[in-house]
Amino acid sequence: MISVEEALSRMLADITALPIIKLPLAEVSGLVLAEDVVAQEDIPPFDNSAMDGFALQSTDSKAHNGQPPRLRVTGGVAAGYVADHAVEAGTAMRIMTGAPVPPGADTIIQVELTHNDGPDSTWVEILHEVTPGNNIRPAGEDMRRGQTILQRGAELGAWEIGILATLGWATVPVVRQARVAILGTGDEVIEIDQPLAPGKIRNSNSYLLEAAVRRAGARPERLGVARDTVESLREKFAQAANYDLILTSGGVSVGDFDLVKDIMAEQGQVNFWRINMRPGKPVAFGHIGGVPLVGLPGNPVSSAVTFELFARPVIRKLQGHTYVLKPQVDVTVEDGIQDRAQRRHYVRAYVTWHEGRFVARTTGNQGSHMMTSLLQANALVIVPEGGPEVPPGTVLKAIMLDWPEDTRV
Amino acid sequence: MISVEEALSRMLADITALPIIKLPLAEVSGLVLAEDVVAQEDIPPFDNSAMDGFALQSTDSKAHNGQPPRLRVTGGVAAGYVADHAVEAGTAMRIMTGAPVPPGADTIIQVELTHNDGPDSTWVEILHEVTPGNNIRPAGEDMRRGQTILQRGAELGAWEIGILATLGWATVPVVRQARVAILGTGDEVIEIDQPLAPGKIRNSNSYLLEAAVRRAGARPERLGVARDTVESLREKFAQAANYDLILTSGGVSVGDFDLVKDIMAEQGQVNFWRINMRPGKPVAFGHIGGVPLVGLPGNPVSSAVTFELFARPVIRKLQGHTYVLKPQVDVTVEDGIQDRAQRRHYVRAYVTWHEGRFVARTTGNQGSHMMTSLLQANALVIVPEGGPEVPPGTVLKAIMLDWPEDTRV
């Protein structure tokens, strides 16, 4: 039996990022950038107006004897077009937000600070003195040609995608999304649309894990349920070996029918299969034909919790993410924890920010068969090994499951 | 010009949830449950063993004269099967985790507290006295037949999906996912794979919004870019009116070519089109042919920020979510904010939890054309109207963009 930290570190040491592929920009959301992005152009590409207004020479904006200067309007420039003549002394041009500043002009005055005769006016009065550069966004102010804008390893969210579009990256080199095989095991497991028969339970883990894999950013595929026979497991494992990662649930404990780790040993290698934690002691890790396999426990709660603690970081590392672990914060355990375990205990809890601190409330009976203990939980409170007392008000670390990963390994 | 709060409340008052449909369980991740889920069976469905071990009568576990009792092993029961005979006094049966407790037995002892002759042993010695109910998970302990387990309005994450699978909900009534049309506008906007020409910029907003819509849980479709003509906009709007929501970017300000709100007025209705905020004053809301339209500003930063503040809550409400707004926390603005605005100012910042408080660091020049100010930002610090000074160390509210929504409206 090894510690949670050792288990995680042995798993992650064994995982390398998947190959780099090029994908259309519209398909890279959530994936990891595989090359630095260097601006090939200045952005904005040209000096442009931050306002709807008039382009002029700033020296023409000074009032004379208290009277606003009146300038001749020689034309206009709309966004997307360039002026066909320059702004000379005593003249101005209409200009729209985003339009290039016409040659000769060194400033823009917003329309609200001018007076004229309507949209076709041939003159404009300048009601406020403006300095050079006013309302002008200089070329390159946002991104400078040659500047590294995004670094290899960046996770591509909506905003990074906007920047890639601006820079013309219509296809993007990314670490490939992981294809994850999900395999249930056990003669007791029936399909979800079947009526219950004596001794049987429905296949909840495969559906739970499918959704969890998808939320982790990978592409899940359910391969069904292997029977508790060597033949059935061999057949399913042959199929699973075509994926980037295999997740099994059940079959990794000490029982006579816990065959998963036997098949792992036969067709690959078992790195470890027991972790000093609760829920979820029986977590196996190893390989089948070169493909990493995380063997999760059969109890639904154990399966759900160990997915978050182990399988999700493995998927993140496969997909090239820099940050693979969820944040931990100090929480005050409002109701205390009665249920004592010798092993490291991950207690499902709902954590809220209340009057300047994080407060945790546990979600009921923590038995590994109590799926309802998962409902409302957004955190796992960590009770150290040895079964310490946790009276109400104790401060412990909690893993915030709904926040983005912030920790490297 | 209306306040952010009024804008949001007018938008949301106008949005109703999409119709309810039934989908296969594998397709409901992230959607909202449309009916209460009541358990039709006890879960677990039968008393079962929490351990690999032996089923026996607890009275048989008492030591006699300091000697462990030796019981006759009459068979075994594996998970998925039921015993074909009862456990009688003086006998025991092997039992696997999850297997139904055989009739006659009232307790289970784990294998580690027994001694026998190997897997085929015909006897077992009981090394520890056990009480009735030990290691037995009673039927119905997790979910009781007739109990409401999930409520209408619940967001279906991996764990809720595990519970639905357990209860046999192979198809699930959910609020339909929103189909969102995304429309760029402006003669200056060219496709992302085109070289820049004088006065032109690439269509970054459509790609940014596509990824943002997907992350909000809806299904985006880019409809391309409308030219700055009434005809082009009418054509694109006719297409967009087949969706559940229309997002435009650009064309909603006061310029001569800002035609979006004119077409809205022609083909539907404009509710408002200016909000007292920065970045992003020109945000329009209304309808085209009965379909809600959120007109976002053309500046990429304004578009990105106003999507989070307005379009995302609208999408959440369309999809039936109870919580539509992101959490706010108090943050200490480490570097202060030099850039003063009269309007409500949403400042891009990176917030971390540091020594018992949240610390915000702004992400550089806050101009609405500075896309790089979005990089690394995970929060929007809210500076109130009136342009107050924000020296280093000021405590302000910040919206946590990466955390799940926690606020009703």
Side-chain angles (χ1 to χ4, degrees):
Chain A
M1 211 153 64
I2 63 178
S3 71
V4 170
E5 285 70 24
E6 190 184 344
L8 195 57
S9 113
R10 277 161 73 166
M11 281 181 180
L12 292 175
D14 197 69
I15 298 291
T16 50
L18 292 169
I20 295 166
I21 55 167
K22 290 207 166 204
L23 286 179
L25 183 59
E27 297 173 20
V28 302
S29 173
L31 299 181
V32 170
L33 185 65
E35 279 178 25
D36 287 355
V37 168
V38 176
Q40 299 298 311
E41 297 137 339
D42 283 346
I43 302 292
F46 44 84
D47 292 359
N48 70 94
S49 178
M51 291 282 182
D52 293 327
F54 290 86
L56 66 156
Q57 297 185 353
S58 52
T59 48
D60 279 345
S61 68
K62 283 194 209 327
H64 293 289
N65 310 321
Q67 292 295 16
R70 174 180 285 219
L71 305 179
R72 188 161 54 87
V73 175
T74 63
V77 50
Y81 300 93
V82 289
D84 57 4
H85 61 276
V87 169
E88 292 171 357
T91 73
M93 285 178 79
R94 276 189 194 79
I95 190 163
M96 302 301 147
T97 305
V101 177
D106 69 351
T107 195
I108 310 281
I109 187 163
Q110 58 262 53
V111 71
E112 293 86 349
L113 301 179
T114 66
H115 171 67
N116 66 20
D117 219 10
D120 298 319
S121 178
T122 56
W123 54 268
V124 60
E125 283 178 3
I126 307 302
L127 307 181
H128 201 276
E129 188 176 336
V130 281
T131 51
N134 188 53
N135 290 325
I136 292 178
R137 303 163 172 167
E141 192 183 20
D142 189 8
M143 308 180 217
R144 180 69 62 192
R145 182 176 173 172
Q147 186 189 345
T148 299
I149 305 297
L150 294 171
Q151 289 188 318
R152 180 172 167 273
E155 184 171 332
L156 299 173
W159 297 351
E160 288 78 11
I161 285 170
I163 284 177
L164 288 166
T166 296
L167 291 171
W169 285 58
T171 59
V172 185
V174 291
V175 179
R176 182 161 69 65
Q177 193 183 30
R179 293 164 299 127
V180 180
I182 295 168
L183 184 55
T185 68
D187 284 358
E188 74 275 31
V189 180
I190 59 170
E191 251 317 304
I192 60 170
D193 55 358
Q194 298 302 305
L196 288 178
K200 307 292 183 186
I201 57 171
R202 296 195 188 90
N203 179 14
S204 58
N205 287 353
S206 291
Y207 289 87
L208 184 157
L209 293 174
E210 177 182 46
V213 165
R214 191 170 288 136
R215 197 168 135 231
R219 201 181 329 158
E221 190 143 342
R222 273 179 287 111
L223 302 186
V225 178
R227 299 293 106 197
D228 284 329
T229 66
V230 171
E231 295 68 32
S232 177
L233 278 165
R234 276 192 194 131
E235 186 200 319
K236 290 289 188 190
F237 276 7
Q239 212 182 328
N242 297 314
Y243 291 79
D244 300 313
L245 174 66
I246 306 168
L247 294 183
T248 61
S249 68
V252 286
S253 193
V254 293
D256 297 352
F257 299 101
D258 289 328
L259 297 167
V260 168
K261 59 183 193 302
D262 299 344
I263 307 282
M264 284 170 74
E266 175 192 291
Q267 305 200 351
Q269 162 253 342
V270 183
N271 188 311
F272 61 81
W273 63 279
R274 276 198 298 189
I275 303 178
N276 185 23
M277 65 177 286
R278 175 178 162 199
K281 179 171 68 172
V283 173
F285 178 66
H287 285 90
I288 291 285
V291 178
L293 184 152
V294 180
L296 303 171
N299 280 323
V301 171
S302 309
S303 193
V305 169
T306 55
F307 176 89
E308 297 298 326
L309 294 178
F310 302 108
R312 190 178 158 104
V314 161
I315 288 172
R316 299 271 301 175
K317 189 160 184 202
L318 273 175
Q319 297 201 163
H321 287 279
T322 310
Y323 299 105
V324 300
L325 298 184
K326 292 282 185 185
Q328 295 189 10
V329 294
D330 293 320
V331 299
T332 303
V333 185
E334 204 174 30
D335 49 348
I337 298 166
Q338 282 70 49
D339 191 0
R340 290 166 75 172
Q342 280 304 307
R343 288 174 264 149
R344 168 90 57 90
H345 194 180
Y346 290 90
V347 176
R348 280 76 74 203
Y350 185 66
V351 170
T352 49
W353 173 248
H354 185 67
E355 293 180 357
R357 59 188 190 154
F358 289 107
V359 174
R361 177 163 279 278
T362 64
T363 59
N365 182 330
Q366 297 285 317
S368 61
H369 62 301
M370 297 298 289
M371 291 194 76
T372 47
S373 73
L374 295 170
L375 290 177
Q376 260 76 57
N378 63 358
L380 297 171
V381 174
I382 306 173
V383 183
E385 289 81 350
E389 274 194 67
V390 183
T394 306
V395 175
L396 289 173
K397 294 274 180 211
I399 301 174
M400 298 303 288
L401 298 172
D402 285 344
W403 295 3
E405 280 81 355
D406 73 343
T407 306
R408 300 166 185 263
V409 171
Chain B
M1 211 152 64
I2 62 177
S3 71
V4 169
E5 285 69 24
E6 189 183 346
L8 195 57
S9 114
R10 278 161 72 165
M11 281 180 182
L12 293 175
D14 197 68
I15 298 292
T16 49
L18 293 170
I20 295 165
I21 55 169
K22 290 206 164 204
L23 287 178
L25 182 60
E27 297 174 19
V28 302
S29 172
L31 299 181
V32 169
L33 185 65
E35 278 178 25
D36 287 355
V37 168
V38 175
Q40 298 299 314
E41 298 137 340
D42 282 346
I43 301 294
F46 43 84
D47 293 358
N48 69 94
S49 177
M51 290 280 182
D52 293 326
F54 289 85
L56 65 156
Q57 298 187 352
S58 52
T59 47
D60 278 346
S61 68
K62 285 192 206 329
H64 293 290
N65 310 319
Q67 291 295 30
R70 175 181 286 219
L71 305 178
R72 186 162 56 87
V73 175
T74 63
V77 51
Y81 300 93
V82 288
D84 56 4
H85 61 276
V87 169
E88 292 172 356
T91 72
M93 287 179 77
R94 278 190 193 79
I95 189 164
M96 303 302 147
T97 305
V101 177
D106 68 353
T107 196
I108 310 282
I109 188 164
Q110 57 261 56
V111 70
E112 293 85 348
L113 301 179
T114 66
H115 170 66
N116 68 17
D117 220 10
D120 297 319
S121 179
T122 56
W123 54 269
V124 60
E125 284 177 3
I126 307 302
L127 307 180
H128 201 275
E129 188 176 336
V130 280
T131 52
N134 188 53
N135 290 324
I136 293 178
R137 304 163 172 167
E141 190 183 21
D142 188 9
M143 308 180 217
R144 179 72 59 193
R145 183 177 173 172
Q147 186 188 345
T148 300
I149 304 298
L150 294 171
Q151 288 188 318
R152 180 171 167 276
E155 183 171 333
L156 299 174
W159 297 350
E160 288 78 11
I161 286 170
I163 283 176
L164 288 166
T166 296
L167 291 170
W169 285 58
T171 60
V172 185
V174 290
V175 180
R176 182 161 68 66
Q177 193 183 30
R179 293 163 300 126
V180 180
I182 296 168
L183 184 55
T185 68
D187 284 358
E188 74 277 29
V189 180
I190 59 171
E191 252 315 305
I192 59 169
D193 55 359
Q194 298 302 305
L196 288 178
K200 306 293 184 185
I201 56 171
R202 296 195 187 89
N203 179 14
S204 57
N205 287 353
S206 291
Y207 288 86
L208 185 156
L209 294 173
E210 176 182 46
V213 165
R214 191 169 287 135
R215 197 168 134 229
R219 202 183 326 157
E221 190 143 342
R222 273 180 288 113
L223 301 186
V225 178
R227 299 293 104 197
D228 284 328
T229 65
V230 171
E231 296 68 33
S232 177
L233 279 165
R234 276 194 193 128
E235 186 199 318
K236 290 291 187 190
F237 276 7
Q239 211 183 327
N242 298 313
Y243 291 79
D244 301 313
L245 174 66
I246 306 169
L247 294 182
T248 61
S249 68
V252 285
S253 191
V254 292
D256 296 353
F257 300 101
D258 289 328
L259 297 167
V260 168
K261 60 182 192 301
D262 299 344
I263 307 280
M264 284 170 75
E266 174 192 291
Q267 305 201 351
Q269 164 253 343
V270 183
N271 189 311
F272 61 81
W273 61 279
R274 277 197 299 188
I275 303 178
N276 186 22
M277 64 176 288
R278 175 177 164 202
K281 179 171 66 170
V283 172
F285 178 66
H287 285 91
I288 292 285
V291 179
L293 184 153
V294 181
L296 302 172
N299 279 322
V301 171
S302 309
S303 193
V305 168
T306 54
F307 176 89
E308 297 298 325
L309 293 178
F310 302 107
R312 191 179 158 102
V314 162
I315 289 171
R316 299 270 302 174
K317 188 160 185 205
L318 275 175
Q319 297 200 163
H321 288 278
T322 310
Y323 299 105
V324 300
L325 299 184
K326 292 282 185 182
Q328 295 189 8
V329 295
D330 294 319
V331 300
T332 303
V333 185
E334 206 175 31
D335 49 350
I337 297 167
Q338 282 70 48
D339 191 0
R340 291 166 74 174
Q342 279 305 308
R343 287 173 265 148
R344 168 90 57 89
H345 194 181
Y346 290 90
V347 177
R348 281 74 76 202
Y350 185 65
V351 170
T352 50
W353 172 249
H354 185 66
E355 293 180 357
R357 60 187 188 156
F358 288 108
V359 174
R361 178 163 278 277
T362 65
T363 60
N365 182 329
Q366 297 285 317
S368 62
H369 61 302
M370 298 296 291
M371 293 194 75
T372 46
S373 73
L374 295 168
L375 292 177
Q376 257 79 58
N378 63 358
L380 297 171
V381 174
I382 306 173
V383 183
E385 289 81 351
E389 273 194 65
V390 183
T394 306
V395 175
L396 289 173
K397 293 274 180 212
I399 301 174
M400 299 303 288
L401 299 172
D402 285 344
W403 295 3
E405 280 80 357
D406 73 343
T407 306
R408 301 166 185 261
V409 171

